[in-house]
Amino acid sequence: MAGQKAAPLLKDELDIVIPTIRNLDFLEMWRPFFESYHLIIVQDGDPSKTIKVPEGFDYELYNRNDINRILGPKASCISFKDSACRCFGYMVSKKKYIYTIDDDCFVAKNPSGEDINALEQHIKNLLSPSTPHFFNTLYDPYRDGADFVRGYPFSLREGVPTAVSHGLWLNIPDYDAPTQLVKPRERNTRYVDAVLTIPKGTIFPMCGMNLAFNRDLIGPAMYFGLMGDGQPIGRYDDMWAGWCTKVICDHLNLGVKTGLPYIWHSKASNPFVNLKKEYKGIYWQEEIIPFFQSVTLPKECTTVQQCYIELAKLVKAKLSSVDPYFTKLADAMVTWIEAWDELNPSGDKLPNGAAK
Amino acid sequence: MAGQKAAPLLKDELDIVIPTIRNLDFLEMWRPFFESYHLIIVQDGDPSKTIKVPEGFDYELYNRNDINRILGPKASCISFKDSACRCFGYMVSKKKYIYTIDDDCFVAKNPSGEDINALEQHIKNLLSPSTPHFFNTLYDPYRDGADFVRGYPFSLREGVPTAVSHGLWLNIPDYDAPTQLVKPRERNTRYVDAVLTIPKGTIFPMCGMNLAFNRDLIGPAMYFGLMGDGQPIGRYDDMWAGWCTKVICDHLNLGVKTGLPYIWHSKASNPFVNLKKEYKGIYWQEEIIPFFQSVTLPKECTTVQQCYIELAKLVKAKLSSVDPYFTKLADAMVTWIEAWDELNPSGDKLPNGAAK
């Protein structure tokens, strides 16, 4: 393929969304890469506390009071005291692309010892097509020095638009509480120099730590659910978004890539606290995942919103028997779409993302 | 997971199958890794020529006359003057595992400059489970330093038995003739330090250059079709085996891994010759691949042989309209199974691979 030249940096087309409860000192390390982008900071804790942002960054910050003021009763769909609230940032952004990162993630180094510009790699991933319809054994065929291997159908080599770029983590891997407890010393030191498309029909565990997406293509599916304060589970916000997103990407013929770029995940969260948040999810997911693996959306659903509303109906019909929580979640999914459409009136955009 | 310790070498349980038309000087480089294994050499050219095998290797060699003598009229299912004849070696082997390699493949080096013991990595891949039912973003969870990520269903962490280990190639990538013609200077220099399971339901382009499999689990599906002398196509032998194998692995709940190990592929084959061999395959595959993507085998098929015979029927029914060649191929698939069962009477083995 033509290969990926120096990536455009999309400075006017991408917002960085950061959920936080603390001072954003971690931004110092990202300064060379983030300073020219606009940041949307969503405070996930007590709104009376002040978040300190290092000098020189261009940002807007929303706390719970802001969210309540902007969304009114619809604010109920946004989680409180949980990083799941980050999805509010996706909703208020007006940009085409979103990059979201946790505030305990630092700049990683590649095997040559150079700092990895994670954002640049995400942009490369998002701007080159995906190949969900057939597997390429040399990974992303659009990277420099790679291509489609023998036996790859020529009719599929144009690929499909990429909606999601899922990046990975060196140092502390993204493990569940039981694995954290069993392997407290495990560190991820393996740098796998690959990007690959997750095949159509395959669901995956999407982590929100280091994630980019095309908001115009898939934004309304990136709802991080009801977690945290007053909810029976936590740490399933990104998983929920990932399951919904992948099913909708498959339906709308959009691609999801995973692999590069890596960030350096500095610190494992407390496994005991995590276990308390996760334990219901750990057995619920045994039913939720088969649900998402078998779900099919009707042909009539041609927009992300339509797909998402349909998915909400199916969640209510099929998962409410798992726990009443899913009835509440299904309602929140509908509220989320209503709030999204309120903040993003469809008149603003043509289907191809161009302004009217 | 427990991780992979020093791999057993399976010296009495694995045969190396090599198709060739020339002297096997390439074995000199492999001596430290191959010398204690038994080799099955299948001569794919003129049987009157003599293949010279370097001193010290333990081998048996079959030419066309041997194949005709051993299989009688059923020899018609084995390709002549084409490396597809290698599958005869799978049939005459009595071992549990097969590794097959092309004679233009040499020992590659890892990024630390050490020689890669490809066979050892294949054995690791085959002896650890696969995870076809859900995608793990940190690749093979059974490798040292890796595990299942957060959100991976616990019920699926036992994995399924691995039937196939598909290795890759540094230097000359496995490209089709059009890509070879367009990118004559492309070399694969990217060492991707990953092994991954190809998800259930996803077909892939399987290359026979550097391939290992569990003969007890999947052997009878590894038929390399009718290629070469008197046939309308070539260079689709491994692809055919890969499509059939993957569909049957999915049906029987077996895993297929791809990635490590790399070999060093020394020399691109002639793209003009390749184009002549491939051109029908290039348009046929546009119909063949959707056929394999949608094929389902009946529940009643519980052995590889039953699956394969069923697949032969479906090939005849659905692909004969593409070209009369597929009628002939479907018949050869049945002959192949008859020949396999003749050389491998079912009384020899219990289903778990133990001798009676």
Side-chain angles (χ1 to χ4, degrees):
Chain A
M1 302 306 296
Q4 296 167 333
K5 305 303 167 202
L9 293 172
L10 307 178
K11 295 197 174 171
D12 300 321
E13 296 183 72
L14 184 144
D15 281 335
I16 300 176
V17 173
I18 305 166
T20 194
I21 52 167
R22 52 194 150 199
N23 290 335
L24 291 174
D25 298 336
F26 91 113
L27 284 173
E28 284 301 348
M29 198 184 186
W30 288 104
R31 192 178 285 278
F33 304 120
F34 288 178
E35 205 173 28
S36 52
Y37 290 90
H38 181 67
L39 312 182
I40 298 177
I41 299 163
V42 189
Q43 185 170 357
D44 72 14
D46 180 353
S48 69
K49 299 219 167 130
T50 303
I51 302 291
K52 228 180 68 197
V53 183
E55 285 289 313
F57 284 94
D58 168 44
Y59 70 94
E60 53 194 300
L61 189 152
Y62 299 93
N63 66 24
R64 188 68 204 181
N65 299 331
D66 301 314
I67 295 172
N68 289 340
R69 178 175 44 77
I70 292 167
L71 293 184
K74 295 196 181 76
S76 62
C77 73
I78 303 296
S79 300
F80 182 38
K81 294 192 176 169
D82 192 283
S83 71
C85 68
R86 74 174 83 202
C87 63
F88 178 76
Y90 312 157
M91 194 184 258
V92 294
S93 167
K94 297 290 171 234
K95 305 283 174 63
K96 185 170 178 181
Y97 301 99
I98 296 285
Y99 175 49
T100 186
I101 181 172
D102 281 5
D103 62 7
D104 62 350
C105 292
F106 294 87
V107 177
K109 287 189 187 294
N110 69 20
S112 310
E114 298 150 349
D115 282 353
I116 296 169
N117 185 344
L119 198 41
E120 185 183 32
Q121 180 65 47
H122 277 298
I123 290 168
K124 283 183 181 178
N125 295 347
L126 289 170
L127 294 184
S128 62
S130 290
T131 53
H133 299 293
F134 201 66
F135 190 87
N136 194 49
T137 52
L138 287 184
Y139 311 99
D140 188 342
Y142 303 105
R143 284 185 81 191
D144 272 335
D147 212 313
F148 294 96
V149 298
R150 180 171 56 93
Y152 203 101
F154 282 83
S155 62
L156 298 176
R157 295 190 186 196
E158 205 175 321
V160 307
T162 301
V164 179
S165 168
H166 178 259
L168 300 175
W169 342 276
L170 289 172
N171 194 37
I172 305 289
D174 185 32
Y175 286 165
D176 47 67
T179 308
Q180 282 185 294
L181 289 164
V182 169
K183 298 174 105 176
R185 300 185 58 158
E186 188 145 299
R187 298 293 179 268
N188 186 24
T189 58
R190 184 177 289 127
Y191 181 95
V192 174
D193 186 11
V195 178
L196 61 102
T197 297
I198 301 177
K200 184 173 178 176
T202 297
I203 304 294
F204 78 115
M206 186 180 83
C207 171
M209 236 190 280
N210 172 26
L211 179 72
F213 59 91
N214 182 321
R215 193 176 163 278
D216 286 355
L217 290 179
I218 201 64
M222 277 288 177
Y223 175 46
F224 272 45
L226 295 174
M227 304 284 145
D229 202 48
Q231 307 300 341
I233 50 168
R235 283 169 60 83
Y236 275 86
D237 51 342
D238 42 6
M239 296 299 139
W240 186 260
W243 299 327
C244 294
T245 293
K246 186 57 167 59
V247 160
I248 294 174
C249 282
D250 284 351
H251 179 76
L252 295 177
N253 205 28
L254 301 170
V256 175
K257 290 185 176 183
T258 185
L260 300 184
Y262 286 94
I263 52 77
W264 179 267
H265 185 205
S266 64
K267 202 170 107 244
S269 45
N270 184 313
F272 300 98
V273 172
N274 290 346
L275 187 63
K276 192 175 165 188
K277 290 179 179 174
E278 282 174 16
Y279 80 97
K280 290 190 179 184
I282 284 173
Y283 60 87
W284 287 351
Q285 75 186 358
E286 299 290 342
E287 296 189 56
I288 301 170
I289 286 170
F291 162 76
F292 279 103
Q293 285 176 326
S294 67
V295 92
T296 51
L297 297 169
K299 270 186 202 156
E300 295 69 40
C301 295
T302 55
T303 68
V304 179
Q305 277 91 332
Q306 287 167 352
C307 290
Y308 204 75
I309 294 290
E310 187 64 30
L311 206 48
K313 283 183 208 159
L314 293 167
V315 165
K316 187 174 270 190
K318 306 276 187 178
L319 294 179
S320 291
S321 60
V322 174
D323 192 274
Y325 167 74
F326 291 95
T327 307
K328 198 166 59 165
L329 179 56
D331 289 337
M333 291 168 74
V334 174
T335 306
W336 158 264
I337 293 293
E338 288 169 358
W340 182 284
D341 285 344
E342 205 171 288
L343 294 186
N344 298 275
S346 59
D348 282 353
K349 298 257 183 178
L350 292 169
N352 65 3
K356 257 189 192 169
Chain B
M1 303 307 295
Q4 297 168 334
K5 307 302 166 202
L9 293 172
L10 307 178
K11 295 197 173 171
D12 300 321
E13 297 183 72
L14 184 144
D15 281 336
I16 299 176
V17 173
I18 304 165
T20 193
I21 53 166
R22 52 193 150 200
N23 291 335
L24 291 173
D25 298 336
F26 90 115
L27 284 172
E28 284 302 347
M29 197 184 187
W30 288 102
R31 191 179 285 278
F33 305 119
F34 289 179
E35 204 173 30
S36 52
Y37 291 89
H38 181 68
L39 312 182
I40 298 177
I41 299 163
V42 190
Q43 185 170 356
D44 73 13
D46 180 354
S48 70
K49 298 220 167 130
T50 304
I51 302 291
K52 228 181 66 197
V53 183
E55 284 289 313
F57 285 93
D58 168 43
Y59 70 94
E60 53 195 300
L61 188 152
Y62 298 93
N63 65 24
R64 188 69 203 180
N65 299 331
D66 301 314
I67 295 171
N68 289 340
R69 179 175 44 77
I70 292 166
L71 293 184
K74 295 195 182 74
S76 62
C77 72
I78 304 296
S79 299
F80 182 39
K81 294 192 176 169
D82 191 284
S83 71
C85 68
R86 75 174 82 203
C87 64
F88 179 75
Y90 313 157
M91 194 184 257
V92 294
S93 167
K94 297 290 172 233
K95 304 284 175 61
K96 186 170 178 182
Y97 301 98
I98 296 286
Y99 176 50
T100 186
I101 182 171
D102 281 4
D103 63 6
D104 62 349
C105 293
F106 294 87
V107 177
K109 288 190 186 293
N110 68 21
S112 311
E114 298 150 349
D115 281 352
I116 297 169
N117 185 344
L119 198 41
E120 185 183 31
Q121 180 65 47
H122 277 299
I123 290 168
K124 283 183 182 179
N125 294 347
L126 290 170
L127 294 184
S128 61
S130 289
T131 53
H133 298 294
F134 201 66
F135 190 88
N136 194 49
T137 51
L138 286 184
Y139 311 100
D140 188 342
Y142 304 105
R143 284 185 82 191
D144 273 336
D147 212 313
F148 294 96
V149 298
R150 180 170 56 93
Y152 202 101
F154 282 83
S155 63
L156 297 176
R157 295 189 187 197
E158 205 176 321
V160 307
T162 301
V164 179
S165 169
H166 178 259
L168 300 176
W169 341 277
L170 289 172
N171 194 36
I172 305 289
D174 185 32
Y175 287 165
D176 47 67
T179 308
Q180 283 185 294
L181 289 164
V182 170
K183 298 174 105 178
R185 299 185 59 159
E186 187 146 298
R187 298 293 179 267
N188 185 25
T189 58
R190 183 176 290 127
Y191 182 94
V192 175
D193 186 11
V195 177
L196 61 103
T197 297
I198 300 176
K200 184 173 178 176
T202 297
I203 304 293
F204 79 115
M206 187 179 84
C207 171
M209 236 190 280
N210 171 26
L211 177 73
F213 59 92
N214 182 320
R215 193 177 162 278
D216 285 356
L217 290 178
I218 201 65
M222 278 288 178
Y223 176 45
F224 271 46
L226 295 173
M227 305 282 145
D229 201 47
Q231 307 300 341
I233 50 168
R235 285 171 57 85
Y236 275 86
D237 51 342
D238 43 5
M239 297 297 140
W240 186 260
W243 300 326
C244 295
T245 293
K246 186 57 168 59
V247 161
I248 294 174
C249 282
D250 284 351
H251 179 77
L252 296 176
N253 204 28
L254 301 170
V256 175
K257 291 184 175 184
T258 184
L260 301 184
Y262 286 93
I263 52 78
W264 179 267
H265 186 205
S266 65
K267 201 170 107 243
S269 44
N270 183 312
F272 301 97
V273 172
N274 290 347
L275 187 63
K276 192 176 164 188
K277 290 179 179 175
E278 282 174 15
Y279 80 98
K280 290 191 179 183
I282 283 174
Y283 61 89
W284 288 351
Q285 73 186 359
E286 299 290 342
E287 297 188 55
I288 301 171
I289 286 171
F291 161 76
F292 280 103
Q293 285 176 325
S294 66
V295 92
T296 52
L297 297 169
K299 271 187 199 152
E300 295 68 41
C301 295
T302 56
T303 67
V304 179
Q305 278 92 333
Q306 286 167 354
C307 291
Y308 204 75
I309 293 290
E310 186 64 29
L311 205 47
K313 283 183 209 157
L314 293 167
V315 165
K316 188 174 269 188
K318 307 275 185 179
L319 294 179
S320 291
S321 61
V322 174
D323 192 274
Y325 167 75
F326 291 94
T327 307
K328 198 166 60 165
L329 180 55
D331 290 337
M333 291 169 74
V334 175
T335 305
W336 158 264
I337 293 294
E338 289 168 357
W340 182 284
D341 285 344
E342 204 172 289
L343 293 185
N344 298 275
S346 57
D348 282 353
K349 296 258 185 175
L350 292 167
N352 64 3
K356 259 192 188 162

